[in-house]
Structures are given as structure tokens and as C-alpha cells.
Amino acid sequence: MAVRISTAEEYEALLRDYDTWLFDCDGVLWRGDHSIEGVIQVLDMLRRRNKKVIFVTNNATKSRQTLLSKFEQLGVQAHADEVYGSAYAAAVYVSSVLKMPKTKKAYVIGMAGLEEELRSEGIAFLGGTDLADNTLESFDLGTWKRDPDVGAVICGLDTKINYTKLSKAFQYLLNDPECHFIETNEDSTYPSAHGLLPGAGSISAPLRCAIQRAPVICGKPSTTMLDSIQAKVHFDPKRTIMVGDRLNTDIQFGQNGGLSTLLVLTGITSEADITGPNASPIVPDFVTQSLGDLRAADKAP
Amino acid sequence: MAVRISTAEEYEALLRDYDTWLFDCDGVLWRGDHSIEGVIQVLDMLRRRNKKVIFVTNNATKSRQTLLSKFEQLGVQAHADEVYGSAYAAAVYVSSVLKMPKTKKAYVIGMAGLEEELRSEGIAFLGGTDLADNTLESFDLGTWKRDPDVGAVICGLDTKINYTKLSKAFQYLLNDPECHFIETNEDSTYPSAHGLLPGAGSISAPLRCAIQRAPVICGKPSTTMLDSIQAKVHFDPKRTIMVGDRLNTDIQFGQNGGLSTLLVLTGITSEADITGPNASPIVPDFVTQSLGDLRAADKAP
């Protein structure tokens, strides 16, 4: 059962026990275009106490630079090396975990943010925003030539998904069992400004279906995301806590990685999801209403 | 265990026991652009003996009229009311099994052949080949208006698949639990002239993933295909045999519908798939090398 925390002493104990703090963004730091009350002060407090702060998001259409501008817009202090999007995690996975040779290329289903992160990690790629592949013209397998240097297919949310991209990615995976199959994240939907739309997991579903092979998933709740963070940052899982608003991504992610977990109720998960007869089997270590509540720690004796 | 048949008497017994003969096309009647030896004579013989002949294909991009021209090209006699493609099966399912009111519409992910069959069954539709939906422009949920009359989403192979079509289909299914979700067939790949490409099952995979709801499948091996045939033709399953070259579609389809089954080895399935340690668990009633073998029945005493 999750421990409800609400007193200054309890928040202070949390700050004492954990050196590294991982945060989901949407629903934890902000909602839409507004930062959640008290969050800016809590982050300031953590930095004042020399805590390591890392932001972990499954958004794969934005590079860290673009994500940073969202932080800036909302007045939330963050540095590029503290932000892990699933596009960056995919790029780091290929460069630092797989250590794919620099002579190899990736075939990309995805958008500019994913390309930017691949470039930053020195990974050559085809597809993506290339105009030649962003077409509804017929795809002719008879005249197309496979690039023998493609060693990975990387698939993220791509709102210009089409049959040419799917067919090329499929051919690379079909003809080379060694070709890596990587998904930025498996979120089946994503919350657009006006409602739910198909997410990265749905965009890669045709490939999973056609190739009948499971991809490596780089976003939460996969531990691949944590492997990518660990490739860049050193932290002790025992003294690390993941703060999130979603049980099946954030909290599961923390638990998969052996971290402690703190659920906040400012996002997707409501009181009903964690209590009562239909409560989720995923139980966080701690629950508090809002990340802003942690301000109270400063009032502890 | 499947019965191997090879003598004139065995073929004659088959002709005596079954009044209705269902045939898969590719791999049974023809391969590529050539009809399989003896097939034309066997079909003539069946018609001479007053057998009912029905052609059942999962191809959902072609209407019956277009499929007929393929028959004609190869010199195989067939009539429009003998041909069941999965596009037609989907249209018949909506009109004759679901009996969707004529005031309702379908939202279509699919091509001209599917539209032609929907028109022939008097089903109004949106999407499909409509130029407005065949675009790689951004889809804005905020400015789009759902049509309240859409009562079904029908998804087939669509080589102009894009985010706008997927998003609209998703919205119809998300916002109306009563909206029917129909797939022409679940083939994950299809054999193009130059090799495998993603099939109808892969094209609808994003919707299945995003909506987390199982569609009704109209192609083989689903019994929905048989329901559609039965809505138009009367036959006794006990005196009906399905002839096909694929175990997991054709033979499974026959077995699901309580029909007898005959496997031919002129297509996908090879000897190794039905004998030896890795044989499929799907076992046809009868096996013969080729549909053309049935010519021998005329030589039975």
C-alpha cells in the first residue's frame, strides 16, 4: 500500500533519503500552458540542497532544445543535460548502448525532433523528414534499392506516416534479421491540445504487425530509458526517486528500474485509480497531492 | 491426419460428396499471371456436374468487377455473383448482417475497390479516396467536425494511409462505443509483384492499438466471410468444401465454418509445412498436389 505523505517531517524525510529526483513533465510540472503551483519553488529547493534533477518525458517529436523552450516559457529552470525525451533516449541507446558503428545508418519513421537528437549523437539516418519519403505516391518495391548500410529502424510519432515509409522500414527489418528495431515509446495515444490522437505506439503498430518481431522500446516504462540516462549520468538507484502522474508509465518505469516512486494527483491518475475495488495493481511507494506540496519541507523543524 | 488423394476414384468420391466448392484464387487457380495447369478444365467439369462454385479472396483493394477481369485475363470462367473479395464481404456484412440503417455512413480507410463494393450495397461513406483525406498536411482536431451519422469504420489495405485518416477513424471509434469497427481482412503482409509489403492487417494496426478494441474481421479465416456468403447464397456446410493453399487462412477458414477442406501445394504451403516435426497444427481433411489433379475424376470407372 502506498504511503500518503502530507507533513513537513515526511517531506523532509523524502529529501533526506533521495539524492536524485526524476520527474515526468506533463501533469507533474505543468498542465497545458500553466506550471503547477509551487513546482518552481520545489525545484529551486532541490537545487539549493544539491539534489540531482532529471526530467523524463516520452515526447519523441521534440528534441531536448525544443523541450527546454517549453520549460523556459513556463518559468521552470532546466538545463539541456537534465532533460531526457524518448527521442534523445533512442539516440543515446543507438550510440552508447548498442554502440552502432558510425558506418551504419538508421532508417527513421519520425519527425524533426528525433532527427535532431540522432544528429547530436552522430548517427547518420535516412527517411524521417526527407521529402522523397514524405509522399502518398505509390511505392514500387521493384525499382527501390535498399541501402546496405542501414543497421537500425527507429520509429517514433510521425504525423506524416505513409505507405512508403512503412514499406521501406518493413523491408529493412524483413531482409536483415540483424537490423535493430527501435521504438521511441509505446504510448498508444497522445493528448493533443484538443483531445487524444494516435501516439508513437500506434504509428509503429503496422511494423510490429507486419514483421512479427518485438521492438526495443526507449520510453517509459521501459528500462531502456533508464539505461540511456545511466549512459550519461551516474546515480544510485537506491537513493533515486521517480515522480510521476501516471501509474502504467511513470510509476511502472521507476519500479522497473529499482527506484522509489512518488505519485502526484495533478495529472492523469485520480484518487479512484489508487483506492477502491478497481485500484491499479501498480502501487507507488508514496503519494502526495501535488509536487508543490514538497515546499512544506522547508518548514520542518 | 490429412488424407492424401491421388486416384481417379478418390477424386470422383470428392465430387460425389460435395455440392458447393469454395476456392481461394492466388496459389490455387493461378500463380502471378499464369493459370495453374488443368484448373480451367476442373472448373468446367464442376460446372458440367452442376456444382456450385464460389471464389473467396482476401484481396480488399479490388472490387468483384476488377477481380473478374483478372479471371477473364487468365481464361478462367467466373461470374460476378461467384466472387467474394473481402471488400465485398465487408460491404455485405454492413448491409445484410449488421443491416446498418441507410441514414448512417461508414468512414473508410481503403481504396477504390472497397468504395465500389460499398456503393453496390448502397452504403454511404466518407474518407477512402476523397482527396481531402489523402493528404500529409497536419491534422487539427480543434477545427475538424465529426459527422454524427458515421456508424462504422471500415479499414482495408490502403496504400495512401496517412495520419488524417487514422486520426478521423480513431475519433469516430473513440467517441462512439456503438460505432462498428470492421476490417476487411487481417493479413499482415501481402505478396506484391516484387516481394512482401505491409497488408491490410498492418494498415489497421494503428487503430487497433490506439482504440484497444478488437475489430470484426471480414476476410478469411473469419467466419464473418462465410456469414456474408451465406447472406447471398444458400449452401449446406456439410456438403461444402474449401480449397486453398494456405493453412492459417484458407484451411482454418473452412474449419471455422464447419466445411471440409482440401489443401493444394501449388501456393504458399509446402510439403514440409504439413509433415515432419514442425508441421502446422492446422490439418486439412484432404491434400492433393494441384487443383488440376481433379481432372482425373473424369477417368473414374
Side-chain angles (χ1 to χ4, degrees):
Chain A
M1 186 150 154
V3 174
R4 299 294 175 120
I5 51 173
S6 58
T7 68
E9 287 74 16
E10 287 166 334
Y11 294 125
E12 183 59 41
L14 219 57
L15 283 161
R16 187 190 60 227
D17 291 346
Y18 301 104
D19 302 326
T20 305
W21 289 66
L22 271 51
F23 295 99
D24 175 46
C25 301
D26 204 5
V28 175
L29 306 182
W30 57 68
R31 264 200 299 214
D33 286 334
H34 301 280
S35 66
I36 287 166
E37 204 201 326
V39 157
I40 292 169
Q41 293 92 315
V42 168
L43 291 174
D44 283 347
M45 181 177 74
L46 289 169
R47 291 183 192 286
R48 220 169 46 233
R49 295 181 180 216
N50 294 318
K51 302 297 181 185
K52 196 172 285 171
V53 168
I54 296 170
F55 305 101
V56 189
T57 165
N58 272 2
N59 191 318
T61 63
K62 293 187 174 66
S63 67
R64 283 162 300 158
Q65 284 308 326
T66 311
L67 287 167
L68 269 184
S69 69
K70 171 102 187 180
F71 280 83
E72 201 172 316
Q73 228 174 32
L74 300 181
V76 180
Q77 197 198 343
H79 308 288
D81 59 2
E82 292 172 340
V83 178
Y84 285 80
S86 63
Y88 181 55
V92 171
Y93 176 74
V94 172
S95 68
S96 306
V97 180
L98 292 181
K99 298 190 201 312
M100 187 169 84
K102 293 297 171 193
T103 52
K104 289 285 190 181
K105 297 171 194 167
Y107 185 81
V108 171
I109 294 180
M111 301 174 76
L114 177 52
E115 292 181 330
E116 203 177 309
E117 298 296 18
L118 291 172
R119 256 183 237 111
S120 78
E121 290 292 308
I123 300 159
F125 59 87
L126 302 169
T129 62
D130 185 344
L131 287 180
D133 285 7
N134 284 272
T135 176
L136 292 179
E137 292 301 308
S138 297
F139 174 70
D140 182 0
L141 193 51
T143 56
W144 178 65
K145 288 234 181 315
R146 282 201 306 276
D147 186 323
D149 293 332
V150 167
V153 165
I154 307 177
C155 192
L157 180 57
D158 187 339
T159 60
K160 295 197 189 302
I161 186 65
N162 61 68
Y163 199 71
T164 292
K165 284 191 193 181
L166 290 172
S167 297
K168 289 186 179 180
F170 172 61
Q171 286 294 319
Y172 283 118
L173 293 169
L174 181 69
N175 289 285
D176 180 6
E178 303 289 300
C179 184
H180 296 284
F181 182 19
I182 297 159
E183 271 181 42
T184 57
N185 61 304
E186 57 179 346
D187 301 34
S188 61
T189 59
Y190 89 91
S192 79
H194 299 280
L196 285 182
L197 287 173
S202 295
I203 292 305
S204 55
L207 278 180
R208 288 198 303 273
C209 179
I211 206 74
Q212 304 273 308
R213 192 173 132 195
V216 169
I217 294 157
C218 295
K220 297 174 287 184
S222 165
T223 51
T224 309
M225 175 65 110
L226 212 58
D227 295 342
S228 293
I229 299 175
Q230 266 163 335
K232 298 282 175 178
V233 183
H234 296 287
F235 61 86
D236 175 4
K238 289 202 170 41
R239 295 192 56 84
T240 299
I241 189 164
M242 171 72 202
V243 186
D245 71 316
R246 295 178 79 129
L247 294 167
N248 63 351
T249 49
D250 303 323
I251 302 306
Q252 187 70 63
F253 169 68
Q255 293 178 347
N256 289 347
L259 316 180
S260 295
T261 54
L262 169 63
L263 176 74
V264 295
L265 300 174
T266 44
I268 292 277
T269 305
S270 66
E271 196 62 48
D273 298 322
I274 52 170
T275 51
N278 294 317
S280 166
I282 304 165
V283 179
D285 296 304
F286 306 102
V287 181
T288 191
Q289 186 57 41
S290 163
L291 179 57
D293 298 345
L294 269 72
R295 283 176 293 180
D298 269 350
K299 294 179 194 141
Chain B
M1 183 146 158
V3 174
R4 298 295 173 121
I5 52 173
S6 58
T7 68
E9 288 74 16
E10 287 167 335
Y11 295 124
E12 183 60 40
L14 218 57
L15 282 160
R16 188 189 61 228
D17 291 346
Y18 301 104
D19 303 325
T20 304
W21 288 67
L22 270 52
F23 296 98
D24 176 44
C25 301
D26 204 4
V28 175
L29 306 181
W30 57 67
R31 264 200 298 215
D33 286 333
H34 299 279
S35 67
I36 287 168
E37 204 201 326
V39 156
I40 292 169
Q41 294 92 315
V42 168
L43 292 174
D44 282 347
M45 183 179 74
L46 290 169
R47 290 183 193 284
R48 220 167 48 233
R49 297 180 180 216
N50 293 317
K51 302 297 182 186
K52 195 171 283 170
V53 169
I54 296 170
F55 305 101
V56 189
T57 165
N58 272 3
N59 189 317
T61 62
K62 293 187 173 63
S63 67
R64 282 162 300 157
Q65 285 307 325
T66 312
L67 287 167
L68 270 184
S69 67
K70 171 102 187 179
F71 280 83
E72 202 173 315
Q73 228 173 33
L74 301 181
V76 180
Q77 196 198 344
H79 308 288
D81 58 2
E82 293 172 341
V83 179
Y84 286 78
S86 64
Y88 181 55
V92 171
Y93 176 75
V94 172
S95 67
S96 305
V97 180
L98 292 181
K99 298 190 202 310
M100 188 169 82
K102 292 297 171 192
T103 51
K104 288 286 192 182
K105 297 172 195 167
Y107 185 81
V108 171
I109 294 180
M111 302 175 76
L114 177 52
E115 293 181 329
E116 203 177 310
E117 299 296 17
L118 292 172
R119 258 184 234 111
S120 78
E121 291 291 308
I123 300 159
F125 59 86
L126 302 170
T129 62
D130 185 345
L131 287 180
D133 285 8
N134 284 272
T135 176
L136 291 179
E137 293 300 308
S138 297
F139 175 69
D140 182 0
L141 194 52
T143 56
W144 179 64
K145 286 232 180 317
R146 282 201 306 276
D147 185 324
D149 293 332
V150 168
V153 165
I154 306 177
C155 192
L157 179 57
D158 188 339
T159 60
K160 296 197 188 301
I161 186 65
N162 61 68
Y163 200 71
T164 292
K165 284 190 191 181
L166 290 173
S167 297
K168 289 186 179 181
F170 172 61
Q171 285 294 319
Y172 283 119
L173 293 168
L174 182 69
N175 288 285
D176 180 5
E178 304 288 301
C179 185
H180 296 284
F181 181 19
I182 297 159
E183 270 182 43
T184 57
N185 60 303
E186 57 179 346
D187 301 35
S188 61
T189 59
Y190 90 91
S192 79
H194 300 280
L196 285 182
L197 287 174
S202 294
I203 292 306
S204 55
L207 278 181
R208 287 198 304 273
C209 178
I211 207 74
Q212 304 274 306
R213 191 172 133 195
V216 169
I217 295 157
C218 295
K220 297 174 287 183
S222 164
T223 52
T224 309
M225 175 65 110
L226 212 59
D227 295 342
S228 295
I229 300 174
Q230 268 165 332
K232 298 282 175 177
V233 183
H234 296 287
F235 60 86
D236 175 5
K238 288 201 171 39
R239 295 192 55 82
T240 299
I241 189 164
M242 171 72 203
V243 186
D245 71 315
R246 295 180 78 129
L247 294 167
N248 62 352
T249 49
D250 302 324
I251 302 306
Q252 187 69 64
F253 168 68
Q255 293 179 346
N256 289 347
L259 316 179
S260 295
T261 55
L262 168 62
L263 177 75
V264 295
L265 300 173
T266 44
I268 291 278
T269 305
S270 66
E271 196 65 45
D273 299 322
I274 52 170
T275 51
N278 293 317
S280 166
I282 303 166
V283 179
D285 296 303
F286 307 103
V287 181
T288 191
Q289 187 57 41
S290 162
L291 179 57
D293 298 344
L294 270 72
R295 282 176 294 180
D298 270 351
K299 296 178 194 144

